[in-house]
């Protein structure tokens, strides 16, 4: 007899698995760590489109976004992405599975998938509106997935995709950097010791840029070992003072936000195309607070005002966003397998320790990444 999953899989995929449930950590409402629930009965993912693949999760990387999403951050925008016609009831996202990074093995391919086969080892960053990797299986579009670097274990590989695709989107797509135009550029990374920072330092050094980094004093050695040319300790006093004594920068990547916008743009070379790209934006807060339409209007107005304010001073103000991308991860894989970028895993947890792992991320002061080993 055929289960529903079996019927659906027969329509769109090459194999005929008939599993209906799987183990996962889920949340049934937004809140603090106590909303996390382990279940053996989470719905098994279904291939709904012929370009999708089902991945058996070996390791799941965590990000600050998982902690924010557990608390409901971005819920308005994510439910619009999941249900654009708004036909489902409020709360239909539950039970929700967190976890944005996956390294694992392809278990099933949709009929149109050409680039992957069953048993391929892959890695991916999972868009926040899709079910996450704190589960035994996850379904993704093939264009979000990439073959995993051969030189990394699954645990190491799961530390990279989300921060790498975010850094790629911010530095390459928004910042205009590439491996061919970085050689003479001076880059400043505000917040170098966390997930995005540790990846961005290595990528920019591999491309030949001169990299200055801010971090806590006790992370100085750590970021230097990753390649940072110059390190400024932000705990020693107002960090803008030592920074403004330095030669001006071609690009600033801001992983910190807050009041950095007040002074950071004056550190850029004016009238040279120099850009400030911040990952700390008010987009999701606006849509959570005001709803989709008004939130987007508010966001557009804020961004336009800020961009214009800085443009008249000869520097560019931009917002950077995570963007899922298999092709970007293909390029990152080459750099990893060439020994230019290593995974920076700070701590690993077992599948039974997911609450402790999220707690670790929530405590802050990351020195690289937190990874959960699933199978
Ligand atoms: P992490 O938590 O991994 O790292 C943050 C790091 O910043 C920690 O190492 C922390 O260490 C350090 N830090 C804290 N305060 C300062 C400061 N004032 N100056 C310099 N360093 C500081 O976060 P991620 O790297 O994963 O992400 C960075 C930020 O970017 C997060 O806010 C995240 O939400 C955001 N983000 C946004 C995305 C988007 O699409 N817009 C996508 C991905 C991330 P310590 O406190 O010990 O100094």
């Amino acid at each position: 007899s055929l289960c529903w999953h079996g019927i659906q899989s027969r329509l769109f995929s090459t194999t005929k698995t008939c599993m209906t449930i799987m183990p996962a950590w889920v949340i049934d409402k937004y809140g603090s760590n106590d909303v996390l629930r382990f279940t053996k009965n989470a719905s098994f993912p279904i291939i709904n489109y012929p370009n999708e693949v089902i991945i058996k999760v070996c390791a799941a990387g965590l990000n600050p976004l998982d902690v924010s999403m557990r608390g409901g951050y971005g819920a308005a925008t994510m439910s619009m992405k999941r249900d654009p016609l708004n036909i489902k009831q409020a709360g239909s996202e539950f039970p929700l599975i967190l976890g944005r990074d996956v390294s694992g093995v392809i278990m099933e391919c949709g009929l149109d998938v050409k680039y992957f086969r069953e048993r391929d080892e892959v890695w991916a960053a999972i868009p926040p509106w899709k079910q996450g990797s704190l589960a035994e299986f996850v379904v993704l579009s093939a264009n979000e997935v990439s073959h995993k670097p051969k030189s990394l274990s699954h645990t190491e590989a799961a530390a990279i995709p989300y921060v790498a695709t975010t850094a790629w989107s911010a530095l390459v797509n928004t910042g205009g950097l590439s491996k061919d135009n970085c050689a003479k550029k001076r880059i400043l990374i505000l917040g170098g010791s966390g997930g995005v920072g540790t990846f961005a330092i290595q990528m920019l050094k591999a491309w030949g840029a001169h990299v200055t980094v801010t971090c806590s004093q006790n992370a100085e050695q750590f970021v230097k070992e990753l390649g940072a040319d110059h390190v400024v300790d932000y705990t020693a006093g107002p960090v803008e003072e030592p920074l403004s004594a330095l030669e001006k920068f071609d690009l600033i990547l801001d992983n910190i936000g807050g009041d950095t916008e007040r002074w950071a743009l004056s550190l850029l070379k004016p009238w040279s195309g120099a850009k400030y790209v911040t990952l700390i934006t008010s987009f999701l807060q606006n849509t959570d607070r005001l709803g989709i339409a008004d939130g987007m209007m508010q966001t557009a107005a804020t961004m336009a005002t800020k961009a214009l304010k800085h443009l008249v001073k000869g520097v560019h103000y931009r917002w950077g966003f995570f963007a899922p991308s298999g092709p970007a991860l293909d390029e990152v894989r080459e750099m990893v397998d060439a020994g230019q970028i290593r995974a920076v895993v700070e701590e690993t947890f077992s599948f039974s320790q997911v609450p402790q792992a999220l707690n670790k991320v929530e405590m802050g002061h990351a020195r690289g990444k937190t990874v959960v080993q699933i199978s």
Side-chain angles (χ1 to χ4, degrees):
S1 71
L2 269 180
C3 61
W4 169 239
H5 179 259
I7 295 169
Q8 193 115 0
S9 290
R10 270 165 206 229
L11 289 176
F12 293 122
S13 95
T14 49
T15 46
K16 286 125 192 106
T17 39
C18 196
M19 293 165 83
T20 54
I21 54 170
M22 64 172 180
W25 282 89
V26 300
I27 62 170
D28 306 295
K29 60 176 184 213
Y30 297 118
S32 56
N33 235 5
D34 51 15
V35 298
L36 286 164
R37 172 171 70 90
F38 179 76
T39 174
K40 290 189 169 157
N41 301 323
S43 300
F44 195 90
I46 289 175
I47 292 193
N48 275 314
Y49 300 95
N51 71 334
E52 288 182 328
V53 296
I54 294 178
I55 300 169
K56 180 167 177 17
V57 182
C58 296
L62 297 183
N63 289 273
L65 181 65
D66 293 306
V67 174
S68 317
M69 281 180 65
R70 190 199 64 202
Y73 172 78
T77 304
M78 298 318 153
S79 49
M80 187 206 49
K81 289 290 289 186
R82 287 182 200 111
D83 176 25
L85 300 177
N86 199 13
I87 44 184
K88 295 188 187 147
Q89 280 181 347
S92 63
E93 68 266 42
F94 300 120
L96 182 74
I97 303 175
L98 301 170
R100 304 278 55 101
D101 282 307
V102 54
S103 181
V105 180
I106 298 268
M107 208 200 83
E108 200 172 321
C109 290
L111 287 175
D112 284 354
V113 174
K114 307 259 176 327
Y115 193 50
F116 300 102
R117 289 160 196 266
E118 279 164 55
R119 289 189 288 280
D120 280 1
E121 297 201 311
V122 293
W123 61 346
I126 304 172
W129 53 90
K130 296 194 174 179
Q131 288 288 51
S133 53
L134 291 174
E136 259 189 14
F137 296 91
V138 65
V139 64
L140 287 174
S141 304
N143 60 342
E144 292 159 350
V145 179
S146 156
H147 286 106
K148 138 187 181 297
K150 290 205 168 33
S151 56
L152 297 187
S153 67
H154 284 294
T155 303
E156 291 170 320
I160 292 181
Y162 190 78
V163 292
T165 45
T166 298
W168 193 276
S169 155
L171 295 171
V172 178
N173 304 343
T174 307
L177 299 181
S178 74
K179 69 176 186 322
D180 303 317
N181 70 7
C182 275
K184 294 200 175 69
K185 289 210 162 72
R186 284 177 54 77
I187 316 280
L188 171 62
I189 301 174
L190 296 172
S193 53
V196 176
T198 51
F199 179 84
I201 293 170
Q202 298 185 82
M203 182 171 111
L204 293 169
K205 282 315 294 174
W207 287 353
H210 183 280
V211 179
T212 302
V213 162
T214 67
C215 65
S216 300
Q217 202 224 332
N218 67 12
E220 247 181 83
Q221 196 52 35
F222 171 66
V223 297
K224 277 194 177 145
E225 278 161 16
L226 293 169
D229 296 290
H230 188 78
V231 184
V232 178
D233 168 17
Y234 79 89
T235 61
V239 72
E240 57 272 34
E241 288 172 17
L243 287 174
S244 55
L246 301 175
E247 189 187 329
K248 296 229 182 302
F249 296 94
D250 297 287
L251 187 136
I252 298 174
L253 176 66
D254 189 352
N255 302 321
I256 301 301
D259 79 338
T260 50
E261 280 187 29
R262 268 197 311 103
W263 46 262
L265 285 106
S266 66
L267 306 174
L268 290 170
K269 293 176 189 162
W271 309 111
S272 66
K275 293 189 183 72
Y276 165 86
V277 183
T278 181
L279 292 176
I280 315 302
T281 74
S282 51
F283 172 60
L284 292 176
Q285 282 99 314
N286 285 342
T287 50
D288 283 343
R289 193 166 53 91
L290 303 170
I292 297 295
D294 289 352
M296 287 186 36
M297 294 275 282
Q298 173 73 58
T299 301
T302 307
M303 191 158 58
T305 313
K306 290 186 180 191
L308 196 65
K309 178 177 133 199
H310 295 293
L311 198 58
V312 296
K313 295 185 201 149
V315 293
H316 299 271
Y317 175 96
R318 296 276 186 277
W319 282 0
F321 291 102
F322 158 76
S325 169
L329 287 175
D330 286 342
E331 302 209 35
V332 173
R333 176 186 61 239
E334 312 263 296
M335 298 173 82
V336 170
D337 279 339
Q340 295 175 313
I341 293 178
R342 67 177 175 89
V344 188
V345 180
E346 181 181 14
E347 196 166 350
T348 59
F349 292 86
S350 68
F351 197 23
S352 64
Q353 293 174 312
V354 163
Q356 289 94 313
L358 270 168
N359 192 47
K360 157 87 183 87
V361 177
E362 191 162 16
M363 301 294 280
H365 306 300
R367 298 289 177 264
K369 300 291 301 173
T370 297
V371 178
V372 178
Q373 289 165 326
I374 308 284
S375 62

